[in-house]
Amino acid sequence: MDIHRLKMPKGLFAILLFTLTIQMGVAQSYDNVWFLGESLLLDFSTAPPKVSFDAGALNSFEGVASMCDSVGQLLFYCDGGRLFNKAHKFFSGWQVMTKWYSSAAITQGLTALPGHESMYFLLQLTEDQQATNPLQLYLTVIDMKKNNGEGEVIITDSLIGTLFSEQLTAIRHPNGMAWWVIGHKNKDDTFILYSLDITGVSSRIEQKVGRNHELFPSYPYSFGEMTTNNEGSIIATISGVGKVDLLSFDRCHGLLTEFAEIDRGLGNEGFLYGLSFSPNGKYLYAGEGFGTSPDRLLQYEVKSGNITGSEIIVWETPLDSINKYETFGQLELGPDGKIYVVHYDQDNHDAQTKLGVIHNPNEKGLACNFVPYDIDLFPVEKGLGLPNFPNFRLGKLMKQEANAGPGKAICTGETTQIGTPDATSKMIYSWAPPDGLDFPNSAQPTASPTHTTTYYLTAIDTTICPEYGTSHDSVTVTVKSNCHIQVVPVVTPDGDGLNDHFEIKNLRPGTEVQITDYLGRRVFHSSNYQNDWPNGSLILSQGVYFYWVEDPQEGAFAGRLVVGR
């Protein structure tokens, strides 16, 4: 694959270069309200979603965008040429696009993203007036604190790039603040990725991977959906007639690698158009469209090893009253975990008054419970489109933190264990200095320093990228040279009178003792130890244990204890 990184002009989004707090709201309900068609509104604050008619000023055949705040209250919506606030008025600072056609007839022509607590991004693919050239990508920036809370456009229609197909999606960056904006070069095998944050577009990556995207040579640009799984680790995109490319995505570096291909071998009789992953990412749903035979809603098992062969037909479109077949438009995963499917009559573009719903998309085959025509939108017309939402609930990558454990104290010549157990077995450890450690690359080495030493731990969580998976901690082992009491670190409870009990020589009254096994589980505790552990009735497994002793005068110290026979 070829990868080219291009530096953006320094002054492109200079207005955004100031310190902001990135939005990390816990509710993340930015997709709570969907606008579509002729001012239809679906409100997901109820189950099933509430349908409202004449709810705004929208009029779009396909490309739409809507955005709520983090708790699900409507902020704005857009049909490409027009941007409306929650009061259904034009935004202050918005200029209706006159040079470019509305993106209302483009599959994924619009998407909106949260920036910080008041700032939002609107990304828009547009075509020229002749509709003969590839698409252009524009950025609009909205500040919702301005204009008395109704919002104001502070950057309008800034050109980001050209030569795009219809597909557009976004994945949250692992830092939880920026976004990867992902498009595809028209009639080419090149993905275009932008890193977008409060400073604007900070980087651009071009990467040749997957198949050439072209459905019909005579059409000016490629179309069909691009979507991602909820983890942001796999991208699926329509790449040709009856073809889908699935690619693994590295959120840390914005890199794609080929994962799998679907190839149904269709000619011009029909092609795949809409796509959506199940919430658990196990299944990919695809809608077949625009053919002369029955069109199908299909399910594929993403990691089956033979994804094309895993195809299951969930539903076929019936003949209509004039012996024509319906088709499927876009698919979209809702905030309720269900997938919403557009029913579309290709012979009567304005007759779409229902949505199908996949109620249990995590289930295989017909158990997914697809109900066609489940939501009645009559008498309002809606066309092919649904809002194009990324997964707003995908947060920053979380790592397992380094934990060097509590401080320890030992007497000269004794040993102790530091660190904590690795619950995942997916960590890399490094202790420094290595002096006095038996295994300096383990989670819990045994330390036998000759003098008081602070050990520094570096831990790398290998499940995520190193720059976000590395953490540090430290622990100090204090070595006491004038210990009055002495611990015998060997127990052989065989009844021969030698080392049958854990012995502390010069034991003082009120000495507290705790014994743990190698997993850190407490097996014994006494606040006034009498040199009597283990007792005769206790069956004790052989192996390594650890003691913690607190002497009333000398304080606490710990070490390793070997139990044998």
Side-chain angles (χ1 to χ4, degrees):
M1 66 185 73
D2 295 330
I3 302 172
H4 305 283
R5 298 180 182 267
L6 293 85
K7 189 174 181 180
M8 301 300 292
K10 291 183 178 179
L12 184 59
F13 302 116
I15 193 170
L16 288 176
L17 297 178
F18 50 88
T19 302
L20 297 171
T21 302
I22 296 298
Q23 185 163 239
M24 293 296 291
V26 294
Q28 304 291 290
S29 297
Y30 303 112
D31 54 354
N32 197 54
V33 174
W34 295 12
F35 268 97
L36 55 149
E38 296 182 1
S39 293
L40 275 167
L41 182 148
L42 271 66
D43 186 344
F44 285 86
S45 59
T46 63
K50 179 183 177 182
V51 180
S52 298
F53 304 98
D54 297 324
L58 190 77
N59 186 3
S60 177
F61 174 74
E62 193 164 9
V64 291
S66 54
M67 175 59 64
C68 296
D69 61 20
S70 62
V71 296
Q73 299 298 310
L74 179 66
L75 294 177
F76 61 84
Y77 58 98
C78 182
D79 61 8
R82 303 174 302 168
L83 176 64
F84 301 97
N85 61 24
K86 60 186 177 182
H88 314 296
K89 299 177 181 178
F90 282 123
F91 255 85
S92 174
W94 173 256
Q95 297 177 2
V96 178
M97 301 186 76
T98 57
K99 185 178 180 181
W100 311 101
Y101 273 139
S102 163
S103 53
I106 296 173
T107 310
Q108 294 180 284
L110 294 162
T111 192
L113 306 172
H116 83 309
E117 61 182 10
S118 69
M119 189 168 292
Y120 295 82
F121 306 120
L122 179 66
L123 292 149
Q124 183 174 8
L125 286 168
T126 64
E127 59 189 3
D128 64 14
Q129 291 179 342
Q130 289 74 39
T132 58
N133 295 316
L135 303 174
Q136 297 81 35
L137 179 61
Y138 287 84
L139 172 68
T140 293
V141 182
I142 302 162
D143 189 345
M144 290 304 303
K145 281 187 176 179
K146 293 185 176 293
N147 196 25
N148 298 318
E150 291 190 356
E152 181 176 314
V153 174
I154 59 174
I155 296 179
T156 181
D157 300 337
S158 292
L159 180 64
I160 295 178
T162 60
L163 305 177
F164 283 88
S165 67
E166 281 193 354
Q167 294 131 333
L168 183 68
T169 192
I171 296 175
R172 197 183 288 275
H173 193 277
N175 64 18
M177 298 180 289
W179 289 91
W180 289 110
V181 177
I182 305 166
H184 200 278
K185 200 173 271 192
N186 189 49
K187 298 186 178 183
D188 202 325
D189 61 352
T190 304
F191 282 85
I192 305 175
L193 300 94
Y194 299 93
S195 178
L196 175 65
D197 58 22
I198 56 174
T199 66
V201 177
S202 59
S203 66
R204 181 178 188 267
I205 301 173
E206 289 193 10
Q207 186 178 357
K208 287 184 173 293
V209 58
R211 293 180 285 194
N212 188 64
H213 282 208
E214 183 172 22
L215 278 91
F216 303 111
S218 60
Y219 203 74
Y221 46 80
S222 301
F223 50 92
E225 284 196 77
M226 179 189 297
T227 190
T228 73
N229 65 353
N230 272 344
E231 294 181 351
S233 60
I234 299 178
I235 293 173
T237 179
I238 302 296
S239 58
V241 176
K243 298 178 181 179
V244 179
D245 284 1
L246 288 91
L247 304 106
S248 297
F249 183 64
D250 177 356
R251 286 175 65 196
C252 296
H253 308 105
L255 299 179
L256 294 154
T257 54
E258 293 183 31
F259 176 77
E261 295 179 350
I262 297 172
D263 193 343
R264 304 193 72 238
L266 299 176
N268 291 337
E269 295 301 312
F271 52 87
L272 300 178
Y273 183 77
L275 296 173
S276 180
F277 282 95
S278 59
N280 64 5
K282 185 175 181 178
Y283 300 108
L284 177 70
Y285 291 87
E288 190 180 57
F290 304 96
T292 57
S293 59
D295 288 325
R296 300 169 178 89
L297 182 63
L298 307 166
Q299 183 195 74
Y300 296 93
E301 191 166 349
V302 174
K303 296 183 179 180
S304 65
N306 177 13
I307 188 169
T308 301
S310 72
E311 177 182 291
I312 294 175
I313 299 174
V314 173
W315 196 72
E316 286 188 345
T317 56
L319 284 167
D320 63 18
S321 59
I322 56 174
N323 293 322
K324 295 293 185 180
Y325 291 100
E326 287 185 358
T327 191
F328 290 108
Q330 288 182 240
L331 280 64
E332 185 70 29
L333 178 63
D336 56 359
K338 301 178 181 182
I339 295 175
Y340 292 80
V341 181
V342 172
H343 291 285
Y344 175 72
D345 186 341
Q346 56 188 317
D347 294 299
N348 185 4
H349 292 182
D350 296 329
Q352 304 320 299
T353 58
K354 296 182 186 294
L355 288 176
V357 181
I358 305 174
H359 286 271
N360 302 310
N362 287 338
E363 301 300 323
K364 186 174 183 177
L366 298 183
C368 73
N369 189 20
F370 173 64
V371 179
Y373 318 116
D374 197 21
I375 297 180
D376 192 355
L377 307 177
F378 182 82
V380 178
E381 304 157 356
K382 66 158 301 299
L384 280 170
L386 294 171
N388 178 22
F389 292 116
N391 180 14
F392 296 122
R393 295 159 187 83
L394 181 63
K396 64 185 295 184
L397 288 176
M398 301 300 293
K399 60 180 176 291
Q400 180 180 334
E401 296 284 349
N403 188 348
K408 300 291 182 71
I410 60 174
C411 296
T412 300
E414 293 181 339
T415 63
T416 188
Q417 187 179 50
I418 57 176
T420 55
D422 180 2
T424 67
S425 301
K426 296 179 179 179
M427 303 287 289
I428 296 175
Y429 298 94
S430 176
W431 293 87
D435 304 340
L437 300 180
D438 58 349
F439 297 106
N441 296 117
S442 66
Q444 290 182 284
T446 297
S448 53
T450 58
H451 57 276
T452 297
T453 303
T454 297
Y455 291 100
Y456 296 90
L457 171 64
T458 297
I460 301 175
D461 187 340
T462 61
T463 63
I464 60 178
C465 36
E467 56 264 51
Y468 299 105
T470 302
S471 56
H472 306 274
D473 198 12
S474 64
V475 63
T476 298
V477 178
T478 302
V479 179
K480 298 180 179 181
S481 59
N482 57 346
C483 294
H484 171 74
I485 64 172
Q486 296 179 9
V487 172
V488 179
V490 176
V491 174
T492 55
D494 54 9
D496 65 355
L498 297 174
N499 299 326
D500 285 335
H501 305 289
F502 173 56
E503 182 181 3
I504 302 175
K505 295 182 178 181
N506 304 317
L507 179 67
R508 294 186 175 96
T511 297
E512 184 176 1
V513 171
Q514 178 173 285
I515 309 293
T516 59
D517 64 14
Y518 72 101
L519 292 176
R521 298 174 298 192
R522 189 168 72 176
V523 298
F524 174 77
H525 175 260
S526 173
S527 58
N528 186 22
Y529 186 56
Q530 302 296 317
N531 279 342
D532 55 357
W533 180 87
N535 60 40
S537 62
L538 179 65
I539 299 176
L540 198 62
S541 299
Q542 298 184 70
V544 176
Y545 292 76
F546 298 91
Y547 65 82
W548 176 84
V549 175
E550 184 166 11
D551 180 80
Q553 296 183 21
E554 297 184 19
F557 53 95
R560 184 170 63 173
L561 172 66
V562 177
V563 175
R565 294 292 178 194

